[in-house]
Amino acid sequence: MSAGEKILVTRRGSLGLVTLNRAKERNPLDQETAAGLRDAFLGLFADPQVRSVAVTGDGDAFCAGGDLRQMRELAEGDVEDAYLWPGAIVDLHRLMLEAPKPVIAAVHGPAYAGGMGLAGMCDVILATPKARFAMPEVKIGLFPMIIVAHLARSLPRKRLLEMMLTGESIDADEAHRLGFVSKVYPDRDGLMEGLDAYAAKFEAVSPAAVRLGRRAFTLLSDMPAGQALDAAQFLNLPFFLGGDLREGTQAFFDRRPPRWTTPDDELEKTS
């Protein structure tokens, strides 16, 4: 099965939806799937008609984690192959640090190992009661190494470490209580309705403010507080001097919805 068959990319209005399409295998992450996800996100981020992006899994699982068949073969290969195997997954995590648009995970069923990392790299996680989150790598002689970078920013340190050291799972309600999941919906239909509702929220806000603000948040949240305050004063400038603030404030005083511009609109003005 090619990467194009393992990943489906569709549109729900202004929302770009990426679906893991190996339901029978519980949507595992192999090299081709990870590369397909990376390329799908890059394409949707570059599309000016897409205002937000979501990822979900077909069938009864969100993503079962790394493909164990491929991983088992690494033990018989050389060091370089083992090092390069998760390269596309690392690329995907790195891409999420600089994503120019909001990213949502719609989780129905297990999100295990790399699947939990896939959900955790997103800005918003929506789930159904069938969702479960776990990092069971220690049960097969691994440790959830790559996904630490995002999950350490998404879950309380002690609870995350306990999950990593025991491999035990938490359900959607516990994940919601911990602040990992934003909302829990009763079933898959409700989950997709919730996804559309979030897409509408992201469609209503300034794309420039989201694009620049998400990047600024990543920078500021990793700085010491004093440095973050100094940096924030400079990072305010593109917002204060940008066209979206003028449009947003004028729309507020005119009591009308803002007419936001996209990067392509700005290019047309200068061409």
Side-chain angles (χ1 to χ4, degrees):
M1 182 180 285
S2 67
E5 296 171 312
K6 295 176 180 179
I7 300 292
L8 298 179
V9 180
T10 55
R11 286 277 301 278
R12 295 174 69 91
S14 65
L15 175 77
L17 180 62
V18 182
T19 303
L20 296 170
N21 191 38
R22 295 173 66 190
K24 290 183 179 180
E25 294 83 17
R26 296 162 66 85
N27 301 317
L29 278 177
D30 57 20
Q31 285 181 303
E32 296 79 13
T33 301
L37 283 170
R38 178 196 60 205
D39 295 344
F41 278 117
L42 282 170
L44 292 170
F45 289 157
D47 187 339
Q49 301 304 313
V50 172
R51 297 289 299 277
S52 57
V53 178
V55 59
T56 193
D58 187 35
D60 294 328
F62 175 74
C63 174
D67 191 317
L68 292 181
R69 291 181 179 84
Q70 284 190 357
M71 295 167 71
R72 182 175 58 185
E73 293 173 359
L74 295 175
E76 300 175 2
D78 57 33
V79 172
E80 184 176 4
D81 288 341
Y83 174 77
L84 293 175
W85 186 84
I89 297 173
V90 173
D91 290 345
L92 185 60
H93 276 263
R94 198 182 306 277
L95 176 63
M96 289 301 117
L97 294 175
E98 301 180 358
K101 299 173 183 179
V103 184
I104 310 165
V107 182
H108 176 73
Y112 287 172
M116 182 169 175
L118 178 60
M121 71 173 71
C122 298
D123 302 308
V124 176
I125 302 175
L126 310 179
T128 70
K130 290 190 176 181
R132 297 195 71 83
F133 302 90
M135 294 160 286
E137 285 91 335
V138 292
K139 296 182 178 181
I140 60 167
L142 289 173
F143 191 78
M145 203 68 69
I146 293 168
I147 63 178
V148 170
H150 271 102
L151 294 183
R153 293 164 170 79
S154 305
L155 281 163
R157 180 185 179 93
K158 295 293 187 184
R159 193 68 177 96
L160 174 62
L161 189 58
E162 178 186 351
M163 291 179 67
M164 288 178 164
L165 294 177
T166 65
E168 294 177 352
S169 67
I170 58 174
D171 60 19
D173 287 338
E174 175 70 359
H176 182 258
R177 188 186 69 78
L178 292 170
F180 187 63
V181 166
S182 294
K183 288 191 178 181
V184 180
Y185 299 89
D187 51 32
R188 183 184 282 278
D189 288 341
L191 180 66
M192 301 312 289
E193 290 174 5
L195 196 57
D196 291 337
Y198 267 87
K201 293 178 183 180
F202 291 132
E203 190 173 343
V205 298
S206 160
V210 168
R211 184 175 66 254
L212 296 173
R214 193 184 185 283
R215 183 71 181 276
F217 178 83
T218 300
L219 293 170
L220 296 173
S221 62
D222 286 336
M223 289 181 178
Q227 292 179 17
L229 287 170
D230 290 338
Q233 191 167 357
F234 287 99
L235 291 171
N236 257 335
L237 294 178
F239 296 94
F240 288 156
L241 302 177
D244 274 13
L245 178 60
R246 291 192 295 273
E247 169 60 20
T249 53
Q250 189 61 53
F252 175 81
F253 290 119
D254 292 346
R255 298 185 179 181
R256 61 170 173 80
R259 294 185 286 267
W260 304 120
T261 58
T262 67
D264 276 14
D265 296 329
E266 295 299 325
L267 287 174
E268 289 178 7
K269 290 179 184 178
T270 58
S271 61

